[in-house]
Amino acid sequence: MRADTMTNDVLPTNHLLALSTDEFIAGFDAVASKFDSATFPQQVLPPESWALLVRAGVRLPTLPKRYGGRDSSVEMCRIVETASEWNLALGVYVIVNTALALLPVVKWAGEEVKQEMLPLFAGGDPVMAGLAATEPGAGSALSSMTTTFEECEGGYRIRGRKHWQALSSSADWWLVLAKNAHRREYGYFVVRRSEGFRTVELYEALGLKLLDYGVNDIDVTVPRHRRIDAEETGLDSVDVFLASRALLAAAGAGFLRRISREAHAYADGRQIGRKTQSRIGFVNYRLAAIDTSSTICEALSHYLKTMVDFKGDLTPVFPAVQALKTVATERMISAAQSYQQLTGAEGYRCGSPTNIAGQAFLDTRVFSIFDGNNDMLSQQLTAHCLTRRSGRSLSGFLADWPLTAPAVATLREDLSFLDQPLGQAQQVLAGRAIAYLIAVTLVLEWAAETAADPARVRPAIEFLRHDIAGVAAEFRLLATGILDAYGPKGRQRAS
């Protein structure tokens, strides 16, 4: 259904506050179904379409009750899962508006900013919010940032350039990261587009076509209360991204539930000679890989819904979040590729009437770099463990650490390859192995808490075991000196 044929057939947001969680999610699901990626146009989401989702309460779980919200971490997860099952790009759209932009204001902004901004987002007005952090030439490196702020009469003047912000030309409110023009100090500022946030170029991304990305020039003066006091609240750049990274596991759970269902339907319906495609051996292997990815992300999302309070301090779950993001996004990419492989040439055709494989493949490609490069997050996970092992070997620490101990005991794998001096390359690989161990633990906990079918649990654990074995093989490859050919001496020899 095209956006311009939609009807405004949902309740006003104030009526949504009395619903139970299941009733609320069912109502949202009915609206999200209009955005099915098989039929909804692959274009920037029109404001009138966002208005439907707003009136279905898409932002309410993120907002405190005193500002007219539902204030529910569980519902934040379920909203993202539901949206992503219908349309992965829509799930990301929700994450950007809520976890990436609104949640920092809810958690860390002063009361005056909250009073000014949050009631607008609790109502039916389809305003949008975004985060402006990344810059041309700077990436994620704060020290290289060129957007600066300085005090002026009545507040702060912020000047600079940002790019690759989701909703670059759409969002009405922005959380802008800038550094002090005169000393080493960083600040977060709440800015309205109309105050001097200007889009000067739009990018064409490969996937996630519902979101607009581009370059924004900033020259604004904001009142003093619009600055979030990072020192007083203990806010840093990692804190800002933890919720949105974690919610990618919820997005993965919804998306992969859809991909699993559609891949089976396609393979069961496609005739290859005298039998259906699903009766071919390696096709079954690919279907099992897709199903396993779905199971793993379901377990990761279960952890989010049962153990994570997005409104609280997320620092204690930092290592788990790193693992959630890297494992979930790897699974999404891998499953989308397997689905496309099953559909053959039709899977290379966006808008195919028989499958959504082409768009699914394009939409997932960004997730290994979106919200933090997976290699960087893996290295950070290793560093987190190394600083806490208290003289033990890394494998010894993992055998005792609550996030990995159940996995180590279940797998009984030799992890001694981790007990060597770890250069930067080895730290990235080690972080991947640690993330897979965390995923095994979360699968075991999900299975125990939900009485999950062992026929789903065992393949999930075995595929993750294989992933860890793959990391061990890459350690052995590094030990051959393969990287030496790419260092300065290797280049000199080549020349």
Side-chain angles (χ1 to χ4, degrees), residues 284-409:
N284 269 308
Y285 176 79
R286 287 202 179 275
L287 290 170
I290 293 171
D291 291 347
T292 296
S293 293
S294 180
T295 297
I296 291 169
C297 279
E298 184 176 339
L300 302 185
S301 188
H302 175 78
Y303 171 81
L304 285 182
K305 287 179 278 193
T306 56
M307 299 299 294
V308 176
D309 176 12
F310 289 108
K311 311 300 176 62
D313 180 11
L314 294 180
T315 305
V317 295
F318 166 80
V321 168
Q322 305 295 86
L324 290 172
K325 195 273 179 180
T326 56
V327 173
T329 55
E330 281 184 9
R331 289 290 158 190
M332 292 163 72
I333 294 168
S334 173
Q337 188 166 10
S338 286
Y339 177 34
Q340 188 178 54
Q341 195 73 20
L342 293 175
T343 55
E346 276 296 297
Y348 192 64
R349 176 184 168 192
C350 288
S352 167
T354 64
N355 64 84
I356 61 167
Q359 196 59 49
F361 181 77
L362 290 174
D363 283 345
T364 58
R365 300 312 296 167
V366 72
F367 284 100
S368 62
I369 55 175
F370 182 81
D371 240 346
N373 183 292
N374 280 8
D375 292 345
M376 176 185 74
L377 302 188
S378 295
Q379 184 177 354
Q380 290 173 353
L381 181 55
T382 300
H384 179 90
C385 294
L386 290 175
T387 58
R388 287 159 177 79
R389 58 180 173 155
S390 302
R392 289 170 289 177
S393 65
L394 183 53
S395 65
F397 168 78
L398 296 173
D400 294 332
W401 194 31
L403 277 174
T404 52
V408 173

Side-chain angles (χ1 to χ4, degrees), residues 109-402:
E111 191 60 30
E112 193 173 354
V113 180
K114 293 178 183 178
Q115 292 281 0
E116 180 182 9
M117 180 180 178
L118 298 185
L120 297 174
F121 285 84
D125 191 340
V127 290
M128 289 181 249
L131 171 70
T134 307
E135 297 188 3
S140 302
L142 295 185
S143 59
S144 301
M145 185 181 298
T146 59
T147 299
T148 62
F149 71 90
E150 54 188 337
E151 293 191 49
C152 63
E153 185 176 352
Y156 299 91
R157 186 174 184 187
I158 307 158
R159 287 177 287 187
R161 171 169 282 196
K162 301 287 186 179
H163 77 157
W164 279 119
Q165 296 84 51
L167 315 180
S168 285
S169 64
S170 302
D172 309 279
W173 289 81
W174 288 92
L175 182 62
V176 176
L177 175 57
K179 70 178 182 181
N180 193 296
H182 307 293
R183 59 181 180 273
R184 187 177 178 82
E185 176 190 9
Y186 300 94
Y188 293 85
F189 301 86
V190 177
V191 173
R192 299 189 74 153
R193 173 179 292 276
S194 58
E195 293 169 330
F197 192 97
R198 191 166 57 92
T199 303
V200 296
E201 180 182 356
L202 285 174
Y203 293 156
E204 183 176 359
L206 281 174
L208 301 179
K209 295 293 189 179
L210 270 61
L211 294 93
D212 47 308
Y213 291 94
V215 181
N216 289 297
D217 282 347
I218 305 169
D219 188 350
V220 303
T221 299
V222 298
R224 199 168 296 276
H225 73 270
R226 294 268 202 84
R227 180 178 181 181
I228 296 178
D229 193 331
E231 291 185 9
E232 182 178 320
T233 59
L235 171 65
D236 66 27
S237 60
V238 173
D239 296 327
V240 170
F241 290 99
L242 284 179
S244 57
R245 285 175 186 166
L247 281 169
L248 289 177
F255 170 74
L256 291 175
R257 192 157 51 236
R258 166 80 174 271
I259 296 305
S260 174
R261 186 170 64 243
E262 297 218 356
H264 278 277
Y266 187 91
D268 287 341
R270 184 180 181 185
Q271 201 72 20
I272 307 291
R274 294 185 176 180
K275 58 185 177 182
T276 61
Q277 185 188 33
S278 59
R279 294 179 60 189
I280 298 172
F282 201 75
V283 168
N284 269 308
Y285 176 79
R286 287 202 179 275
L287 290 170
I290 293 171
D291 291 347
T292 296
S293 293
S294 180
T295 297
I296 291 169
C297 279
E298 184 176 339
L300 302 185
S301 188
H302 175 78
Y303 171 81
L304 285 182
K305 287 179 278 193
T306 56
M307 299 299 294
V308 176
D309 176 12
F310 289 108
K311 311 300 176 62
D313 180 11
L314 294 180
T315 305
V317 295
F318 166 80
V321 168
Q322 305 295 86
L324 290 172
K325 195 273 179 180
T326 56
V327 173
T329 55
E330 281 184 9
R331 289 290 158 190
M332 292 163 72
I333 294 168
S334 173
Q337 188 166 10
S338 286
Y339 177 34
Q340 188 178 54
Q341 195 73 20
L342 293 175
T343 55
E346 276 296 297
Y348 192 64
R349 176 184 168 192
C350 288
S352 167
T354 64
N355 64 84
I356 61 167
Q359 196 59 49
F361 181 77
L362 290 174
D363 283 345
T364 58
R365 300 312 296 167
V366 72
F367 284 100
S368 62
I369 55 175
F370 182 81
D371 240 346
N373 183 292
N374 280 8
D375 292 345
M376 176 185 74
L377 302 188
S378 295
Q379 184 177 354
Q380 290 173 353
L381 181 55
T382 300
H384 179 90
C385 294
L386 290 175
T387 58
R388 287 159 177 79
R389 58 180 173 155
S390 302
R392 289 170 289 177
S393 65
L394 183 53
S395 65
F397 168 78
L398 296 173
D400 294 332
W401 194 31

